[in-house]
């Protein structure tokens, strides 16, 4: 990887009518200013090296919500050990009014997933990996369960994630009642019997599943299975019967 920003960045600095930008190994001061002044920019994809530790910080402070699609691929990066990514969530939230699609292979935090649920126009969310802080996720779930008012459903229609357990599954079920498609690489919930969950779901794709879940569903009479259970059972028919370790999961026990 280069140690200095690409010199061609200076050539692009004069552009100010960009609608889409795919930037790899080039996030520096020049491109940060270009992004801020590109008022027509609606699609941003960035990955690789950052040469400016204030990249996300300055964008979150100086860029009104205009992005409709944001793809951030920075494999196994984390806001816990990357100075620049301390400000990632601030920038993510700053685009919440217009953002429709977000995709990342970075290890994001639970708060960023919850913020995505609250974005009014977010319809497609693809999260390959995140710091799975089970305690924080459990607290968030308990808070939702204890609410006396109905949770405002997100606009989310498509959700993709590499790992899903009971906690994340229920959080999604409560927040995303409009969901139509669910794609999960490793599906690990034990109980999905609540008939109120995902009433509009049309398609489920599962690569690896929990055999205990399949056995639980099969023990029920077919007439007693919920629509969700039937769809999950259909989705697991062609899946291998073993759970495989995944690169994209990092568990935080505390």
């Amino acid at each position: 990887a280069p140690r200095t920003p690409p010199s061609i960045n200076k050539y692009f600095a004069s552009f100010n009518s960009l609608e889409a930008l795919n930037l790899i190994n080039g996030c520096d001061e020049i491109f940060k200013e270009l992004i801020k002044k590109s008022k027509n920019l609606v699609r941003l994809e960035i990955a690789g090296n950052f040469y400016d530790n204030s990249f996300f910080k300055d964008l979150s402070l100086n860029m009104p919500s205009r992005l409709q699609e944001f793809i951030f691929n920075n494999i196994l990066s984390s806001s816990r050990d990357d100075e620049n990514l301390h400000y990632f969530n601030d920038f993510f939230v700053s685009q919440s009014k217009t953002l429709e699609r977000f995709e990342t292979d970075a290890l994001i935090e639970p708060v960023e997933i919850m913020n995505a649920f609250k974005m009014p126009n977010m319809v497609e969310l693809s999260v390959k990996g995140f710091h799975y802080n089970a305690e924080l996720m459990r607290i968030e779930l308990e808070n939702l369960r204890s609410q006396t008012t109905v949770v405002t459903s997100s606009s989310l229609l498509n959700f993709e994630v590499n790992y899903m357990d009971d906690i994340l599954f229920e959080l999604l079920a409560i927040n995303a009642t409009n969901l139509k498609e669910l794609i999960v690489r490793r599906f690990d919930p034990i109980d999905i019997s609540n008939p109120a969950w995902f009433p509009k779901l049309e398609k489920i794709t599962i690569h690896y599943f929990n055999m205990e879940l399949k056995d639980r569903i099969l023990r029920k009479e077919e007439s007693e299975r919920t629509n969700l259970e039937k769809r999950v059972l259909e989705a697991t028919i062609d899946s291998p019967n073993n759970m495989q370790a995944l690169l994209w999961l990092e568990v935080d026990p505390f």
Side-chain angles (χ1 to χ4, degrees):
R3 293 296 181 182
T4 58
S7 58
I8 198 173
N9 281 11
K10 295 179 180 179
Y11 169 74
F12 290 109
S14 60
F15 294 10
N16 55 16
S17 300
L18 293 175
E19 295 183 5
L21 176 62
N22 185 332
L23 186 61
I24 300 175
N25 291 330
C27 293
D28 65 352
E29 179 73 24
I30 293 174
F31 258 98
K32 180 176 65 181
E33 295 305 313
L34 174 62
I35 292 171
K36 285 195 294 185
K37 73 179 183 181
S38 297
K39 300 186 184 302
N40 297 319
L41 186 66
V42 295
R43 184 185 185 278
L44 176 63
E45 180 175 354
I46 52 180
N49 295 337
F50 284 81
Y51 302 96
D52 180 356
N53 287 333
S54 297
F55 191 86
F56 281 125
K57 180 180 180 181
D58 289 348
L59 285 180
S60 64
L61 294 174
N62 299 289
M63 181 176 166
S65 185
R66 64 171 68 106
L67 293 181
Q68 296 174 10
E69 181 177 5
F70 179 31
I71 300 174
F72 175 56
N73 288 326
N74 200 10
I75 298 174
L76 296 185
S77 291
S78 160
S79 56
R80 297 193 309 181
D81 54 28
D82 187 308
E83 179 180 355
N84 182 52
L85 290 185
H86 286 167
Y87 306 103
F88 174 83
N89 187 56
D90 292 337
F91 173 65
F92 186 48
V93 172
S94 77
Q95 302 302 303
S96 61
K97 293 180 180 179
T98 56
L99 204 56
E100 299 174 1
R101 180 177 185 271
F102 176 62
E103 176 183 335
T104 184
D105 65 9
L107 293 176
I108 66 173
E109 306 296 334
V111 65
E112 290 152 7
I113 296 176
M114 300 307 299
N115 283 333
F117 291 157
K118 299 172 185 177
M119 295 182 181
N121 297 302
M122 178 71 75
V123 295
E124 186 174 345
L125 179 61
S126 179
V127 180
K128 289 186 174 64
F130 56 96
H131 281 130
Y132 196 78
N133 189 314
E135 185 60 29
L136 289 179
M137 300 285 274
R138 190 175 295 108
I139 291 173
E140 186 69 37
L141 180 57
E142 290 300 328
N143 289 339
L144 287 175
R145 287 171 172 170
S146 64
Q147 286 189 18
T148 56
T149 57
V150 178
V151 176
T152 301
S153 181
S154 75
S155 301
L156 201 63
L157 300 178
N158 304 85
F159 182 67
E160 180 177 0
V161 69
N162 265 32
Y163 173 77
M164 176 174 283
D165 68 352
D166 282 301
I167 298 175
L168 180 58
F169 184 79
E170 188 170 350
L171 281 173
L172 183 66
I174 293 173
N175 283 280
T177 58
N178 295 312
L179 198 72
K180 291 187 176 182
E181 182 174 9
L182 176 62
I183 302 173
V184 184
R185 182 170 175 83
R186 173 177 168 178
F187 191 76
D188 208 16
I190 301 301
D191 184 4
I192 60 169
S193 61
N194 190 328
W197 287 344
F198 303 115
K200 300 181 181 180
L201 198 63
E202 298 175 355
K203 182 179 180 181
I204 306 176
T205 302
I206 298 172
H207 296 283
Y208 304 105
F209 64 98
N210 193 312
M211 282 299 295
E212 183 178 345
L213 171 63
K214 184 176 181 179
D215 291 342
R216 182 189 290 255
I217 297 174
L218 290 174
R219 284 196 298 269
K220 299 173 68 172
E221 295 293 334
E222 186 172 356
S223 60
E224 297 176 348
R225 298 170 190 165
T226 66
N227 181 60
L228 177 60
E229 288 176 320
K230 292 176 182 178
R231 290 185 178 274
V232 169
L233 189 60
E234 292 171 356
T236 61
I237 288 176
D238 297 325
S239 299
N241 291 336
N242 61 310
M243 284 295 201
Q244 297 187 9
L246 298 178
L247 172 65
W248 304 102
L249 172 66
E250 178 172 311
V251 177
D252 259 342
F254 303 105

